[in-house]
PDB file of all heavy atoms in Angstrom:
ATOM      1  N   THR A 135      67.516-113.652 172.349  1.00 88.00           N
ATOM      2  CA  THR A 135      68.382-112.548 172.806  1.00 88.00           C
ATOM      3  C   THR A 135      67.887-111.185 172.407  1.00 88.00           C
ATOM      4  O   THR A 135      67.972-110.161 173.277  1.00 88.00           O
ATOM      5  CB  THR A 135      69.710-112.823 172.472  1.00 88.00           C
ATOM      6  OG1 THR A 135      69.853-112.731 171.008  1.00 88.00           O
ATOM      7  CG2 THR A 135      70.379-114.099 172.931  1.00 88.00           C
ATOM      8  N   ASN A 136      67.588-111.051 171.187  1.00 90.00           N
ATOM      9  CA  ASN A 136      67.100-109.715 170.716  1.00 90.00           C
ATOM     10  C   ASN A 136      66.163-109.721 169.542  1.00 90.00           C
ATOM     11  O   ASN A 136      66.612-109.530 168.346  1.00 90.00           O
ATOM     12  CB  ASN A 136      68.445-108.997 170.228  1.00 90.00           C
ATOM     13  CG  ASN A 136      68.256-107.493 170.134  1.00 90.00           C
ATOM     14  OD1 ASN A 136      67.094-106.907 170.114  1.00 90.00           O
ATOM     15  ND2 ASN A 136      69.280-106.634 169.915  1.00 90.00           N
ATOM     16  N   PRO A 137      64.960-110.035 169.788  1.00 90.00           N
ATOM     17  CA  PRO A 137      63.872-110.073 168.683  1.00 90.00           C
ATOM     18  C   PRO A 137      63.764-108.916 167.743  1.00 90.00           C
ATOM     19  O   PRO A 137      63.327-108.991 166.727  1.00 90.00           O
ATOM     20  CB  PRO A 137      62.639-110.346 169.468  1.00 90.00           C
ATOM     21  CG  PRO A 137      63.025-110.784 170.925  1.00 90.00           C
ATOM     22  CD  PRO A 137      64.363-110.164 171.149  1.00 90.00           C
ATOM     23  N   ASP A 138      64.256-107.769 168.264  1.00 91.00           N
ATOM     24  CA  ASP A 138      64.178-106.458 167.380  1.00 91.00           C
ATOM     25  C   ASP A 138      65.013-106.608 166.090  1.00 91.00           C
ATOM     26  O   ASP A 138      64.667-106.023 165.102  1.00 91.00           O
ATOM     27  CB  ASP A 138      64.650-105.188 168.046  1.00 91.00           C
ATOM     28  CG  ASP A 138      63.727-104.807 169.308  1.00 91.00           C
ATOM     29  OD1 ASP A 138      62.498-105.258 169.285  1.00 91.00           O
ATOM     30  OD2 ASP A 138      64.067-104.141 170.180  1.00 91.00           O
ATOM     31  N   GLU A 139      66.012-107.452 166.066  1.00 93.00           N
ATOM     32  CA  GLU A 139      67.017-107.641 164.997  1.00 93.00           C
ATOM     33  C   GLU A 139      66.462-108.724 163.993  1.00 93.00           C
ATOM     34  O   GLU A 139      66.972-108.891 162.884  1.00 93.00           O
ATOM     35  CB  GLU A 139      68.191-108.086 165.420  1.00 93.00           C
ATOM     36  CG  GLU A 139      68.936-106.979 166.264  1.00 93.00           C
ATOM     37  CD  GLU A 139      70.478-107.363 166.582  1.00 93.00           C
ATOM     38  OE1 GLU A 139      71.048-108.237 165.932  1.00 93.00           O
ATOM     39  OE2 GLU A 139      70.971-106.813 167.625  1.00 93.00           O
ATOM     40  N   LEU A 140      65.266-109.302 164.329  1.00 93.00           N
ATOM     41  CA  LEU A 140      64.687-110.296 163.482  1.00 93.00           C
ATOM     42  C   LEU A 140      64.279-109.770 161.971  1.00 93.00           C
ATOM     43  O   LEU A 140      64.338-110.483 161.057  1.00 93.00           O
ATOM     44  CB  LEU A 140      63.506-111.116 164.036  1.00 93.00           C
ATOM     45  CG  LEU A 140      63.819-112.067 165.225  1.00 93.00           C
ATOM     46  CD1 LEU A 140      62.648-112.576 165.890  1.00 93.00           C
ATOM     47  CD2 LEU A 140      64.678-113.206 164.605  1.00 93.00           C
ATOM     48  N   GLY A 141      63.843-108.580 161.986  1.00 93.00           N
ATOM     49  CA  GLY A 141      63.478-107.956 160.803  1.00 93.00           C
ATOM     50  C   GLY A 141      64.620-107.806 159.802  1.00 93.00           C
ATOM     51  O   GLY A 141      64.415-108.192 158.546  1.00 93.00           O
ATOM     52  N   THR A 142      65.726-107.353 160.265  1.00 94.00           N
ATOM     53  CA  THR A 142      67.007-107.255 159.379  1.00 94.00           C
ATOM     54  C   THR A 142      67.333-108.696 158.916  1.00 94.00           C
ATOM     55  O   THR A 142      67.633-108.901 157.752  1.00 94.00           O
ATOM     56  CB  THR A 142      68.061-106.583 160.282  1.00 94.00           C
ATOM     57  OG1 THR A 142      67.662-105.353 160.744  1.00 94.00           O
ATOM     58  CG2 THR A 142      69.311-106.410 159.361  1.00 94.00           C
ATOM     59  N   LEU A 143      67.167-109.686 159.863  1.00 95.00           N
ATOM     60  CA  LEU A 143      67.620-110.966 159.434  1.00 95.00           C
ATOM     61  C   LEU A 143      66.644-111.553 158.420  1.00 95.00           C
ATOM     62  O   LEU A 143      67.071-112.175 157.488  1.00 95.00           O
ATOM     63  CB  LEU A 143      67.824-111.878 160.621  1.00 95.00           C
ATOM     64  CG  LEU A 143      68.958-111.583 161.646  1.00 95.00           C
ATOM     65  CD1 LEU A 143      68.936-112.324 162.985  1.00 95.00           C
ATOM     66  CD2 LEU A 143      70.244-111.731 161.033  1.00 95.00           C
ATOM     67  N   ALA A 144      65.266-111.333 158.607  1.00 95.00           N
ATOM     68  CA  ALA A 144      64.433-111.820 157.715  1.00 95.00           C
ATOM     69  C   ALA A 144      64.490-111.137 156.281  1.00 95.00           C
ATOM     70  O   ALA A 144      64.373-111.811 155.252  1.00 95.00           O
ATOM     71  CB  ALA A 144      62.927-111.440 158.140  1.00 95.00           C
ATOM     72  N   ASN A 145      65.006-109.915 156.343  1.00 95.00           N
ATOM     73  CA  ASN A 145      65.312-109.221 155.020  1.00 95.00           C
ATOM     74  C   ASN A 145      66.434-109.961 154.416  1.00 95.00           C
ATOM     75  O   ASN A 145      66.593-110.179 153.247  1.00 95.00           O
ATOM     76  CB  ASN A 145      65.597-107.808 155.228  1.00 95.00           C
ATOM     77  CG  ASN A 145      65.554-107.010 154.005  1.00 95.00           C
ATOM     78  OD1 ASN A 145      64.868-107.171 153.000  1.00 95.00           O
ATOM     79  ND2 ASN A 145      66.528-105.920 153.959  1.00 95.00           N
ATOM     80  N   GLN A 146      67.463-110.172 155.041  1.00 95.00           N
ATOM     81  CA  GLN A 146      68.697-110.829 154.643  1.00 95.00           C
ATOM     82  C   GLN A 146      68.396-112.269 154.033  1.00 95.00           C
ATOM     83  O   GLN A 146      68.851-112.664 153.037  1.00 95.00           O
ATOM     84  CB  GLN A 146      69.690-110.990 155.787  1.00 95.00           C
ATOM     85  CG  GLN A 146      70.959-111.652 155.353  1.00 95.00           C
ATOM     86  CD  GLN A 146      71.785-110.882 154.293  1.00 95.00           C
ATOM     87  OE1 GLN A 146      71.922-109.667 154.324  1.00 95.00           O
ATOM     88  NE2 GLN A 146      72.198-111.509 153.228  1.00 95.00           N
ATOM     89  N   LEU A 147      67.434-112.894 154.781  1.00 94.00           N
ATOM     90  CA  LEU A 147      67.061-114.259 154.365  1.00 94.00           C
ATOM     91  C   LEU A 147      66.337-114.224 153.039  1.00 94.00           C
ATOM     92  O   LEU A 147      66.590-114.909 152.116  1.00 94.00           O
ATOM     93  CB  LEU A 147      66.141-114.884 155.494  1.00 94.00           C
ATOM     94  CG  LEU A 147      65.574-116.211 155.036  1.00 94.00           C
ATOM     95  CD1 LEU A 147      66.666-117.319 154.902  1.00 94.00           C
ATOM     96  CD2 LEU A 147      64.474-116.648 156.187  1.00 94.00           C
ATOM     97  N   THR A 148      65.358-113.210 152.891  1.00 95.00           N
ATOM     98  CA  THR A 148      64.632-112.960 151.805  1.00 95.00           C
ATOM     99  C   THR A 148      65.638-112.677 150.517  1.00 95.00           C
ATOM    100  O   THR A 148      65.447-113.186 149.448  1.00 95.00           O
ATOM    101  CB  THR A 148      63.603-111.730 151.929  1.00 95.00           C
ATOM    102  OG1 THR A 148      62.835-112.191 152.976  1.00 95.00           O
ATOM    103  CG2 THR A 148      62.799-111.608 150.644  1.00 95.00           C
ATOM    104  N   ASN A 149      66.557-111.762 150.688  1.00 95.00           N
ATOM    105  CA  ASN A 149      67.607-111.520 149.613  1.00 95.00           C
ATOM    106  C   ASN A 149      68.343-112.702 149.179  1.00 95.00           C
ATOM    107  O   ASN A 149      68.578-112.840 148.088  1.00 95.00           O
ATOM    108  CB  ASN A 149      68.616-110.326 150.113  1.00 95.00           C
ATOM    109  CG  ASN A 149      67.813-109.041 150.164  1.00 95.00           C
ATOM    110  OD1 ASN A 149      66.734-108.814 149.731  1.00 95.00           O
ATOM    111  ND2 ASN A 149      68.368-108.088 151.078  1.00 95.00           N
ATOM    112  N   ASP A 150      68.857-113.414 150.185  1.00 94.00           N
ATOM    113  CA  ASP A 150      69.537-114.618 149.934  1.00 94.00           C
ATOM    114  C   ASP A 150      68.788-115.635 149.240  1.00 94.00           C
ATOM    115  O   ASP A 150      69.311-116.307 148.266  1.00 94.00           O
ATOM    116  CB  ASP A 150      70.206-115.245 151.286  1.00 94.00           C
ATOM    117  CG  ASP A 150      71.338-114.458 151.858  1.00 94.00           C
ATOM    118  OD1 ASP A 150      71.862-113.569 151.153  1.00 94.00           O
ATOM    119  OD2 ASP A 150      71.635-114.673 153.103  1.00 94.00           O
ATOM    120  N   TYR A 151      67.492-115.834 149.563  1.00 94.00           N
ATOM    121  CA  TYR A 151      66.692-116.905 148.873  1.00 94.00           C
ATOM    122  C   TYR A 151      66.505-116.274 147.388  1.00 94.00           C
ATOM    123  O   TYR A 151      66.402-117.146 146.548  1.00 94.00           O
ATOM    124  CB  TYR A 151      65.386-116.984 149.534  1.00 94.00           C
ATOM    125  CG  TYR A 151      64.546-118.026 148.699  1.00 94.00           C
ATOM    126  CD1 TYR A 151      64.735-119.321 148.642  1.00 94.00           C
ATOM    127  CD2 TYR A 151      63.507-117.490 147.927  1.00 94.00           C
ATOM    128  CE1 TYR A 151      64.121-120.087 147.841  1.00 94.00           C
ATOM    129  CE2 TYR A 151      62.810-118.334 146.985  1.00 94.00           C
ATOM    130  CZ  TYR A 151      63.052-119.668 147.060  1.00 94.00           C
ATOM    131  OH  TYR A 151      62.381-120.588 146.189  1.00 94.00           O
ATOM    132  N   GLY A 152      66.247-115.025 147.158  1.00 94.00           N
ATOM    133  CA  GLY A 152      66.097-114.457 145.931  1.00 94.00           C
ATOM    134  C   GLY A 152      67.203-114.721 145.045  1.00 94.00           C
ATOM    135  O   GLY A 152      67.061-115.098 143.779  1.00 94.00           O
ATOM    136  N   GLN A 153      68.455-114.575 145.535  1.00 93.00           N
ATOM    137  CA  GLN A 153      69.716-114.909 144.864  1.00 93.00           C
ATOM    138  C   GLN A 153      69.831-116.331 144.469  1.00 93.00           C
ATOM    139  O   GLN A 153      70.054-116.776 143.412  1.00 93.00           O
ATOM    140  CB  GLN A 153      70.935-114.390 145.543  1.00 93.00           C
ATOM    141  CG  GLN A 153      72.178-114.612 145.015  1.00 93.00           C
ATOM    142  CD  GLN A 153      73.429-114.111 145.644  1.00 93.00           C
ATOM    143  OE1 GLN A 153      73.345-113.379 146.599  1.00 93.00           O
ATOM    144  NE2 GLN A 153      74.624-114.522 145.239  1.00 93.00           N
ATOM    145  N   LEU A 154      69.379-117.298 145.491  1.00 91.00           N
ATOM    146  CA  LEU A 154      69.447-118.662 145.313  1.00 91.00           C
ATOM    147  C   LEU A 154      68.562-119.070 144.174  1.00 91.00           C
ATOM    148  O   LEU A 154      68.890-119.950 143.337  1.00 91.00           O
ATOM    149  CB  LEU A 154      69.117-119.375 146.559  1.00 91.00           C
ATOM    150  CG  LEU A 154      69.134-120.910 146.392  1.00 91.00           C
ATOM    151  CD1 LEU A 154      70.686-121.348 146.675  1.00 91.00           C
ATOM    152  CD2 LEU A 154      68.403-121.546 147.688  1.00 91.00           C
ATOM    153  N   ALA A 155      67.411-118.520 144.262  1.00 92.00           N
ATOM    154  CA  ALA A 155      66.456-118.759 143.227  1.00 92.00           C
ATOM    155  C   ALA A 155      66.862-118.546 141.782  1.00 92.00           C
ATOM    156  O   ALA A 155      66.730-119.247 140.810  1.00 92.00           O
ATOM    157  CB  ALA A 155      65.078-118.169 143.414  1.00 92.00           C
ATOM    158  N   GLN A 156      67.622-117.411 141.748  1.00 91.00           N
ATOM    159  CA  GLN A 156      68.168-116.955 140.414  1.00 91.00           C
ATOM    160  C   GLN A 156      69.231-117.922 139.947  1.00 91.00           C
ATOM    161  O   GLN A 156      69.426-118.153 138.792  1.00 91.00           O
ATOM    162  CB  GLN A 156      68.717-115.529 140.489  1.00 91.00           C
ATOM    163  CG  GLN A 156      67.572-114.435 140.628  1.00 91.00           C
ATOM    164  CD  GLN A 156      66.583-114.446 139.302  1.00 91.00           C
ATOM    165  OE1 GLN A 156      67.155-114.573 138.300  1.00 91.00           O
ATOM    166  NE2 GLN A 156      65.439-114.265 139.666  1.00 91.00           N
ATOM    167  N   GLU A 157      70.016-118.296 140.931  1.00 88.00           N
ATOM    168  CA  GLU A 157      71.159-119.347 140.715  1.00 88.00           C
ATOM    169  C   GLU A 157      70.608-120.636 140.341  1.00 88.00           C
ATOM    170  O   GLU A 157      71.352-121.425 139.654  1.00 88.00           O
ATOM    171  CB  GLU A 157      72.086-119.267 141.836  1.00 88.00           C
ATOM    172  CG  GLU A 157      72.968-118.016 142.005  1.00 88.00           C
ATOM    173  CD  GLU A 157      73.605-117.958 143.356  1.00 88.00           C
ATOM    174  OE1 GLU A 157      73.572-118.934 144.128  1.00 88.00           O
ATOM    175  OE2 GLU A 157      74.335-116.915 143.615  1.00 88.00           O
ATOM    176  N   ALA A 158      69.517-120.968 140.829  1.00 87.00           N
ATOM    177  CA  ALA A 158      68.979-122.364 140.589  1.00 87.00           C
ATOM    178  C   ALA A 158      68.596-122.649 139.110  1.00 87.00           C
ATOM    179  O   ALA A 158      68.562-123.705 138.684  1.00 87.00           O
ATOM    180  CB  ALA A 158      67.800-122.609 141.453  1.00 87.00           C
ATOM    181  N   LYS A 159      68.154-121.517 138.488  1.00 87.00           N
ATOM    182  CA  LYS A 159      67.639-121.728 137.107  1.00 87.00           C
ATOM    183  C   LYS A 159      68.681-122.190 136.126  1.00 87.00           C
ATOM    184  O   LYS A 159      68.437-123.327 135.574  1.00 87.00           O
ATOM    185  CB  LYS A 159      67.133-120.251 136.494  1.00 87.00           C
ATOM    186  CG  LYS A 159      65.819-119.877 137.238  1.00 87.00           C
ATOM    187  CD  LYS A 159      65.473-118.405 136.706  1.00 87.00           C
ATOM    188  CE  LYS A 159      64.311-118.081 137.524  1.00 87.00           C
ATOM    189  NZ  LYS A 159      63.911-116.585 137.204  1.00 87.00           N
TER     190      LYS A 159
END
């Protein structure tokens, strides 16, 4: 629908994964 927004979502995914990795320890 709107590939231009993928960058923002990719950034969100990266931030969420970073938080998950910290919580996993």
Side-chain angles (χ1 to χ4, degrees):
T135 60
N136 194 353
D138 292 340
E139 293 182 26
L140 287 174
T142 303
L143 291 171
N145 190 37
Q146 180 65 43
L147 179 65
T148 303
N149 291 336
D150 286 344
Y151 176 76
Q153 183 178 346
L154 180 80
Q156 290 299 317
E157 294 170 356
K159 290 175 187 176

